[in-house]
Amino acid sequence: MNFRCFSAILVGAAACLSLSSCSNSSIVSLDYVPQGGRMMRGAPDFAVGEFKDKRGEQAQTLGHVRLPIGPTVDTIQTRLPVSDVVRNAFAYALESRGMLATDVKGRFIITGEIQDLRSQLLVHPYGYARIRVNVVEATSGRVIHTRVYEGERQSTAYRPGSGSPVPVLRELTSRALQDAVDRALDDNRMRQQIGAGTDNRPRYTPGML
């Protein structure tokens, strides 16, 4: 074995050790941080239903940390199933806007499909969310609005030996999910369609309430 090859092996081993373990599993919690005056408020008419996980991953797996060349060195997992994480994010977002129903049943139910929600590190730490959101009229079961919303966050390149990338990945994925949730709930077209679908109630407009 020549010196250059041996040095490459040592560098790879050091990078792997700097991530704590070559087969580690990190548990993270994603959060939703209200944006104050940037959110569009509305009436408390919404409940949150089921979000089906269509990602093709394990229920609590967000992604993997890999070296540029080599195996997975860390698997990032959520404390709850991803379907519950997304459902909770929508509930917090509705509550922050004054839109979460105060009784058990809302006039509208937010449901959907999680097409993608992941953390990854190859060169750049990266978080991505892609969610189909449905607004269902509770009394009739009619889908009033459906659309796919995305969020994407990326940071600068990770340098092996600079510490664990997991906190950065958790933050990026939290913000990517929040971007998708906020875009869904603040979508003018969605609010107009809801207003058009209910003849005896006022239309939702920016700054309502």
Side-chain angles (χ1 to χ4, degrees):
M1 180 183 294
N2 61 41
F3 178 78
R4 180 177 296 178
C5 182
F6 182 70
S7 296
I9 291 174
L10 287 178
V11 170
C16 185
L17 290 173
S18 74
L19 294 173
S20 299
S21 171
C22 289
S23 58
N24 192 38
S25 180
S26 296
I27 308 298
V28 301
S29 296
L30 304 187
D31 59 8
Y32 181 90
V33 181
Q35 298 299 303
R38 296 170 57 185
M39 300 183 301
M40 295 168 59
R41 296 184 63 81
D45 287 340
F46 293 81
V48 184
E50 181 183 10
F51 278 83
K52 296 180 180 179
D53 189 349
K54 298 291 187 178
R55 300 173 306 137
E57 288 276 2
Q58 296 292 321
Q60 291 172 243
T61 298
L62 274 182
H64 308 281
V65 178
R66 292 183 172 89
L67 298 176
I69 298 177
T72 297
V73 296
D74 204 342
T75 297
I76 302 175
Q77 296 182 305
T78 52
R79 297 183 184 279
L80 301 173
V82 165
S83 56
D84 289 340
V85 170
V86 172
R87 186 177 186 276
N88 289 343
F90 273 92
Y92 290 138
L94 287 167
E95 183 179 39
S96 299
R97 290 165 171 78
M99 295 169 65
L100 189 65
T102 54
D103 54 6
V104 177
K105 295 182 179 180
R107 296 184 63 247
F108 304 105
I109 303 172
I110 302 285
T111 68
E113 295 179 351
I114 307 162
Q115 299 178 354
D116 204 349
L117 180 61
R118 57 188 156 98
S119 302
Q120 69 178 44
L121 172 62
L122 292 175
V123 176
H124 295 275
Y126 179 76
Y128 179 69
R130 178 181 172 89
I131 303 171
R132 175 168 290 281
V133 177
N134 307 314
V135 180
V136 181
E137 190 174 49
T139 54
S140 66
R142 180 168 60 99
V143 177
I144 298 175
H145 173 83
T146 183
R147 187 175 181 182
V148 173
Y149 298 90
E150 296 177 283
E152 183 177 34
R153 294 291 183 104
Q154 181 172 289
S155 186
T156 56
Y158 171 75
R159 293 183 301 171
S162 61
S164 172
V166 173
V168 173
L169 289 167
R170 185 206 69 80
E171 178 66 15
L172 291 173
T173 310
S174 288
R175 301 290 71 78
L177 174 58
Q178 179 160 347
D179 288 345
V181 171
D182 286 345
R183 286 167 184 161
L185 297 185
D186 294 338
D187 186 347
N188 279 314
R189 188 169 76 173
M190 180 273 285
R191 296 192 180 219
Q192 289 169 0
Q193 287 177 317
I194 289 174
T198 54
D199 295 335
N200 60 342
R201 295 293 293 263
R203 292 176 179 267
Y204 289 89
T205 59
M208 184 175 182
L209 298 184

